[in-house]
Short mmCIF file of all heavy atoms in Angstrom, two decimals:
data_model
loop_
_atom_site.label_atom_id
_atom_site.label_comp_id
_atom_site.label_asym_id
_atom_site.label_seq_id
_atom_site.Cartn_x
_atom_site.Cartn_y
_atom_site.Cartn_z
N SER A 1360 77.22 113.55 63.07
CA SER A 1360 76.85 114.13 61.81
C SER A 1360 75.56 114.94 61.83
O SER A 1360 75.12 115.45 60.82
CB SER A 1360 76.70 113.01 60.75
OG SER A 1360 75.69 112.09 61.17
N THR A 1361 74.92 115.00 62.98
CA THR A 1361 73.63 115.66 63.08
C THR A 1361 73.74 117.10 63.58
O THR A 1361 72.73 117.74 63.85
CB THR A 1361 72.69 114.90 63.99
OG1 THR A 1361 73.24 114.86 65.32
CG2 THR A 1361 72.47 113.47 63.48
N PHE A 1362 74.95 117.59 63.76
CA PHE A 1362 75.15 118.89 64.44
C PHE A 1362 74.34 120.00 63.79
O PHE A 1362 73.67 120.75 64.46
CB PHE A 1362 76.62 119.25 64.49
CG PHE A 1362 76.89 120.56 65.16
CD1 PHE A 1362 76.88 120.71 66.52
CD2 PHE A 1362 77.11 121.72 64.39
CE1 PHE A 1362 77.10 121.91 67.13
CE2 PHE A 1362 77.34 122.95 64.99
CZ PHE A 1362 77.34 123.03 66.38
N SER A 1363 74.47 120.13 62.48
CA SER A 1363 73.88 121.32 61.84
C SER A 1363 72.37 121.37 62.01
O SER A 1363 71.78 122.46 61.98
CB SER A 1363 74.24 121.33 60.35
OG SER A 1363 73.70 120.21 59.71
N SER A 1364 71.71 120.25 62.16
CA SER A 1364 70.27 120.23 62.32
C SER A 1364 69.81 120.20 63.79
O SER A 1364 68.63 120.22 64.05
CB SER A 1364 69.68 119.04 61.55
OG SER A 1364 70.17 117.83 62.10
N SER A 1365 70.76 120.15 64.69
CA SER A 1365 70.41 120.00 66.11
C SER A 1365 70.39 121.37 66.81
O SER A 1365 71.27 122.19 66.62
CB SER A 1365 71.46 119.14 66.83
OG SER A 1365 71.51 117.84 66.26
N ALA A 1366 69.37 121.52 67.64
CA ALA A 1366 69.35 122.71 68.50
C ALA A 1366 70.42 122.53 69.58
O ALA A 1366 70.67 121.43 70.04
CB ALA A 1366 68.01 122.86 69.15
N MET A 1367 71.05 123.63 69.93
CA MET A 1367 72.11 123.61 70.96
C MET A 1367 71.80 124.61 72.03
O MET A 1367 71.16 125.65 71.78
CB MET A 1367 73.45 123.96 70.33
CG MET A 1367 73.90 123.06 69.18
SD MET A 1367 74.24 121.36 69.72
CE MET A 1367 75.68 121.62 70.78
N GLY A 1368 72.21 124.31 73.23
CA GLY A 1368 71.93 125.23 74.34
C GLY A 1368 73.10 125.35 75.29
O GLY A 1368 74.00 124.47 75.33
N TRP A 1369 73.08 126.42 76.04
CA TRP A 1369 74.01 126.61 77.17
C TRP A 1369 73.18 126.75 78.45
O TRP A 1369 72.21 127.54 78.48
CB TRP A 1369 74.87 127.87 76.96
CG TRP A 1369 75.94 127.73 75.96
CD1 TRP A 1369 75.92 128.11 74.65
CD2 TRP A 1369 77.26 127.12 76.14
NE1 TRP A 1369 77.09 127.81 74.02
CE2 TRP A 1369 77.93 127.20 74.93
CE3 TRP A 1369 77.91 126.55 77.25
CZ2 TRP A 1369 79.23 126.73 74.75
CZ3 TRP A 1369 79.20 126.08 77.07
CH2 TRP A 1369 79.86 126.17 75.85
N PHE A 1370 73.62 126.04 79.47
CA PHE A 1370 73.00 126.17 80.78
C PHE A 1370 74.12 126.44 81.79
O PHE A 1370 75.31 126.26 81.50
CB PHE A 1370 72.30 124.84 81.16
CG PHE A 1370 71.04 124.60 80.36
CD1 PHE A 1370 71.08 124.23 79.03
CD2 PHE A 1370 69.77 124.77 80.96
CE1 PHE A 1370 69.92 124.04 78.31
CE2 PHE A 1370 68.62 124.54 80.25
CZ PHE A 1370 68.69 124.18 78.91
N ARG A 1371 73.74 126.85 82.99
CA ARG A 1371 74.75 127.05 84.02
C ARG A 1371 74.19 126.63 85.37
O ARG A 1371 72.98 126.63 85.58
CB ARG A 1371 75.20 128.51 84.07
CG ARG A 1371 74.15 129.50 84.49
CD ARG A 1371 74.64 130.94 84.32
NE ARG A 1371 73.67 131.94 84.77
CZ ARG A 1371 73.82 133.23 84.61
NH1 ARG A 1371 74.94 133.73 84.02
NH2 ARG A 1371 72.87 134.05 85.02
N GLN A 1372 75.08 126.28 86.25
CA GLN A 1372 74.70 125.86 87.57
C GLN A 1372 75.70 126.41 88.60
O GLN A 1372 76.89 126.09 88.57
CB GLN A 1372 74.63 124.35 87.67
CG GLN A 1372 74.06 123.82 88.98
CD GLN A 1372 73.70 122.37 88.90
OE1 GLN A 1372 74.18 121.64 88.03
NE2 GLN A 1372 72.87 121.91 89.81
N ALA A 1373 75.20 127.26 89.49
CA ALA A 1373 75.97 127.80 90.57
C ALA A 1373 75.86 126.86 91.78
O ALA A 1373 74.87 126.13 91.87
CB ALA A 1373 75.52 129.20 90.91
N PRO A 1374 76.82 126.94 92.70
CA PRO A 1374 76.74 126.03 93.89
C PRO A 1374 75.44 126.22 94.67
O PRO A 1374 75.02 127.33 94.94
CB PRO A 1374 77.94 126.50 94.72
CG PRO A 1374 78.90 127.05 93.72
CD PRO A 1374 78.05 127.70 92.67
N GLY A 1375 74.81 125.09 94.96
CA GLY A 1375 73.58 125.13 95.73
C GLY A 1375 72.34 125.55 94.95
O GLY A 1375 71.27 125.69 95.54
N GLN A 1376 72.50 125.79 93.66
CA GLN A 1376 71.37 126.20 92.86
C GLN A 1376 71.08 125.19 91.74
O GLN A 1376 71.90 124.38 91.42
CB GLN A 1376 71.65 127.58 92.26
CG GLN A 1376 71.85 128.68 93.29
CD GLN A 1376 71.96 130.05 92.66
OE1 GLN A 1376 71.56 130.27 91.50
NE2 GLN A 1376 72.53 131.00 93.40
N GLU A 1377 69.88 125.28 91.21
CA GLU A 1377 69.49 124.41 90.11
C GLU A 1377 70.13 124.89 88.80
O GLU A 1377 70.45 126.07 88.64
CB GLU A 1377 67.96 124.36 89.99
CG GLU A 1377 67.30 123.69 91.18
CD GLU A 1377 65.83 123.44 90.92
OE1 GLU A 1377 65.31 123.89 89.89
OE2 GLU A 1377 65.21 122.79 91.78
N ARG A 1378 70.26 123.95 87.89
CA ARG A 1378 70.78 124.31 86.56
C ARG A 1378 69.77 125.23 85.86
O ARG A 1378 68.55 124.94 85.90
CB ARG A 1378 71.01 123.06 85.76
CG ARG A 1378 71.79 123.25 84.48
CD ARG A 1378 72.19 121.92 83.86
NE ARG A 1378 73.10 121.18 84.74
CZ ARG A 1378 73.73 120.08 84.37
NH1 ARG A 1378 73.60 119.61 83.13
NH2 ARG A 1378 74.48 119.43 85.21
N GLU A 1379 70.25 126.29 85.26
CA GLU A 1379 69.34 127.24 84.62
C GLU A 1379 69.74 127.48 83.18
O GLU A 1379 70.92 127.44 82.80
CB GLU A 1379 69.30 128.55 85.39
CG GLU A 1379 70.57 129.33 85.41
CD GLU A 1379 70.48 130.63 86.20
OE1 GLU A 1379 69.52 130.80 86.98
OE2 GLU A 1379 71.36 131.50 86.00
N PHE A 1380 68.75 127.79 82.39
CA PHE A 1380 68.93 128.11 80.98
C PHE A 1380 69.68 129.42 80.80
O PHE A 1380 69.42 130.37 81.55
CB PHE A 1380 67.54 128.21 80.31
CG PHE A 1380 67.58 128.79 78.95
CD1 PHE A 1380 68.01 128.01 77.85
CD2 PHE A 1380 67.17 130.09 78.72
CE1 PHE A 1380 68.02 128.57 76.58
CE2 PHE A 1380 67.19 130.64 77.42
CZ PHE A 1380 67.61 129.86 76.37
N VAL A 1381 70.59 129.44 79.86
CA VAL A 1381 71.34 130.67 79.54
C VAL A 1381 71.01 131.12 78.11
O VAL A 1381 70.58 132.27 77.89
CB VAL A 1381 72.86 130.48 79.68
CG1 VAL A 1381 73.60 131.75 79.25
CG2 VAL A 1381 73.20 130.09 81.11
N ALA A 1382 71.20 130.23 77.15
CA ALA A 1382 70.97 130.61 75.74
C ALA A 1382 70.77 129.38 74.90
O ALA A 1382 71.21 128.27 75.29
CB ALA A 1382 72.15 131.44 75.22
N ALA A 1383 70.10 129.56 73.77
CA ALA A 1383 69.88 128.45 72.86
C ALA A 1383 69.89 128.94 71.43
O ALA A 1383 69.62 130.10 71.15
CB ALA A 1383 68.52 127.77 73.18
N ILE A 1384 70.20 128.02 70.53
CA ILE A 1384 70.18 128.33 69.10
C ILE A 1384 69.60 127.15 68.37
O ILE A 1384 69.97 125.98 68.66
CB ILE A 1384 71.63 128.68 68.61
CG1 ILE A 1384 71.59 129.14 67.17
CG2 ILE A 1384 72.58 127.53 68.84
CD1 ILE A 1384 72.93 129.80 66.74
N THR A 1385 68.71 127.39 67.47
CA THR A 1385 68.11 126.29 66.73
C THR A 1385 69.03 125.77 65.62
O THR A 1385 70.08 126.36 65.36
CB THR A 1385 66.79 126.75 66.08
OG1 THR A 1385 67.08 127.79 65.13
CG2 THR A 1385 65.79 127.24 67.11
N GLY A 1386 68.67 124.65 65.03
CA GLY A 1386 69.45 124.15 63.95
C GLY A 1386 69.33 125.02 62.74
O GLY A 1386 68.47 125.89 62.63
N SER A 1387 70.22 124.81 61.80
CA SER A 1387 70.28 125.70 60.64
C SER A 1387 69.04 125.60 59.76
O SER A 1387 68.71 126.54 59.01
CB SER A 1387 71.54 125.41 59.80
OG SER A 1387 72.69 125.68 60.55
#
């Protein structure tokens, strides 16, 4: 029930690499 107030993000990880930030959106 906390989705609308939660910040959300997308990250990605390629083979042999660290997870990296792609995009984020704050809560409403």
Side-chain angles (χ1 to χ4, degrees):
S1360 60
T1361 62
F1362 178 80
S1363 63
S1364 61
S1365 299
M1367 302 294 294
W1369 285 97
F1370 289 73
R1371 66 187 181 186
Q1372 187 167 18
Q1376 298 187 19
E1377 293 189 353
R1378 191 170 298 189
E1379 64 180 18
F1380 168 77
V1381 176
I1384 186 167
T1385 61
S1387 296

